[in-house]
Amino acid sequence: MNAALRTGSDKAGRVALSPLEDTSTFADRAYAALKEVIVSLNIYGQDQEVRLDERQLASDLGVSRTPVREAMAQLEREGFVRSVPRRGIYVVRKTKREVIEMITAWAALESMAARLITENAGDDDISSLRTMFSTFENGELHARLDEYSEVNIEFHQTIIRMSRNSVLIALAENLFTHMRMIRMRTIGEKDRADRSIHDHMHIIKALEARDTARAEELVRTHALGLAEHVAKYADYLD
């Protein structure tokens, strides 16, 4: 922290503080770092439980164990980790039922976002959605599935942001972080990537046409299609 003691004839001994460059606490930074790691673990792509070593994490982050504990407490409240007495802290794998419920809730939020986009968003904002998929033409999709997975996730997050409804955005944020983890697994299953890009282009056309009812329906149907896929094929969640 930068601090300087400045004195003057009229204000002797006045302490002037320069603005902090980083106002986050160690706990805030530990939380952000741990959440990023957890989301990137592809937890549904492995069978074994992932146990987190608090002491090792503190050492890796270069902080004491206190901010790590505070970060873990926040992550547990958000449903990303669970503390097991005398065993440790584990990354949470949602059950099939929990995943389907999350997707169903997301379908409601995103379809409302689509409605708001048709009513309020600018043409340039909507057209920017189309550019996300320009690099996946000419049959290159399967060769770049990991990259497409990230674009797919960004597409759905952008739909939410473009609603410009701060309450809707806040409700969706934590929910989608959980969904991001399951999407990493499902996008490569049963040709879902091909169907996904097909659905997205129809959604974009409906948004561009300001066809509110169709945009809502397409977004909702697309999301619930993922729920149906999970119900039918995601036995690894049980």
Side-chain angles (χ1 to χ4, degrees), residues 135-228:
T135 58
F136 299 99
E137 298 172 345
N138 303 319
E140 296 180 4
L141 180 57
H142 285 291
R144 304 167 63 183
L145 194 57
D146 288 344
E147 184 180 346
Y148 176 71
S149 178
E150 290 301 312
V151 172
N152 173 50
I153 289 167
E154 176 62 20
F155 174 81
H156 291 285
Q157 290 177 310
T158 301
I159 292 287
I160 293 293
R161 288 196 298 268
M162 284 174 59
S163 73
R164 297 179 183 172
N165 183 301
S166 60
V167 175
L168 192 155
I169 292 169
L171 288 171
E173 182 179 1
N174 188 57
L175 177 62
F176 193 75
T177 305
H178 284 285
M179 286 184 55
R180 179 190 183 97
M181 297 164 75
I182 191 63
R183 281 182 184 274
M184 291 170 64
R185 172 71 183 261
T186 59
I187 194 63
E189 299 173 342
K190 303 292 181 181
D191 295 322
R192 280 197 55 79
D194 287 325
R195 282 181 286 167
S196 170
I197 198 166
H198 179 79
D199 288 352
H200 289 169
M201 299 313 295
H202 282 295
I203 289 168
I204 293 169
K205 288 179 182 177
L207 293 173
E208 289 173 335
R210 309 287 174 166
D211 189 337
T212 301
R214 180 159 174 77
E216 274 190 302
E217 179 187 1
L218 288 173
V219 167
R220 183 168 53 249
T221 300
H222 177 67
L224 293 179
L226 175 58
E228 292 172 5

Side-chain angles (χ1 to χ4, degrees), residues 3 9 14 17 23 34 37 39 44 51 59 61 67 69 85 93 116 123 125 141 147 152 155-156 159 178 235 237:
S9 58
R14 177 179 179 272
L17 298 175
T23 59
L34 290 169
V37 168
V39 171
Y44 298 106
R51 182 178 180 276
S59 176
L61 292 171
R69 288 195 192 100
R93 282 170 55 100
L116 294 173
D123 292 341
D125 290 333
L141 180 57
E147 184 180 346
N152 173 50
F155 174 81
H156 291 285
I159 292 287
H178 284 285
D235 294 336
L237 292 174

Side-chain angles (χ1 to χ4, degrees), residues 4-24:
L5 181 64
R6 293 205 292 259
T7 62
S9 58
D10 55 338
K11 293 184 179 179
R14 177 179 179 272
V15 175
L17 298 175
S18 299
L20 294 172
E21 294 183 3
D22 187 350
T23 59
S24 61

Side-chain angles (χ1 to χ4, degrees), residues 62-183:
V63 297
S64 71
R65 294 175 69 177
T66 298
V68 172
R69 288 195 192 100
E70 293 176 11
M72 287 295 188
Q74 178 64 26
L75 290 166
E76 186 162 17
R77 287 192 292 270
E78 294 177 356
F80 291 102
V81 301
R82 73 181 190 281
S83 178
V84 181
R86 296 181 296 279
R87 288 186 58 197
I89 300 172
Y90 293 82
V91 177
V92 168
R93 282 170 55 100
K94 297 293 187 182
T95 66
K96 181 186 287 190
R97 179 177 177 178
E98 288 171 332
V99 169
I100 291 171
E101 288 178 347
M102 287 192 299
I103 297 169
T104 303
W106 179 267
L109 293 175
E110 193 174 14
S111 61
M112 176 52 71
R115 166 175 283 275
L116 294 173
I117 289 170
T118 63
E119 295 173 349
N120 303 314
D123 292 341
D124 289 343
D125 290 333
I126 296 174
S127 65
S128 69
L129 293 170
R130 189 176 291 276
T131 64
M132 291 184 180
F133 304 101
S134 61
T135 58
F136 299 99
E137 298 172 345
N138 303 319
E140 296 180 4
L141 180 57
H142 285 291
R144 304 167 63 183
L145 194 57
D146 288 344
E147 184 180 346
Y148 176 71
S149 178
E150 290 301 312
V151 172
N152 173 50
I153 289 167
E154 176 62 20
F155 174 81
H156 291 285
Q157 290 177 310
T158 301
I159 292 287
I160 293 293
R161 288 196 298 268
M162 284 174 59
S163 73
R164 297 179 183 172
N165 183 301
S166 60
V167 175
L168 192 155
I169 292 169
L171 288 171
E173 182 179 1
N174 188 57
L175 177 62
F176 193 75
T177 305
H178 284 285
M179 286 184 55
R180 179 190 183 97
M181 297 164 75
I182 191 63
R183 281 182 184 274

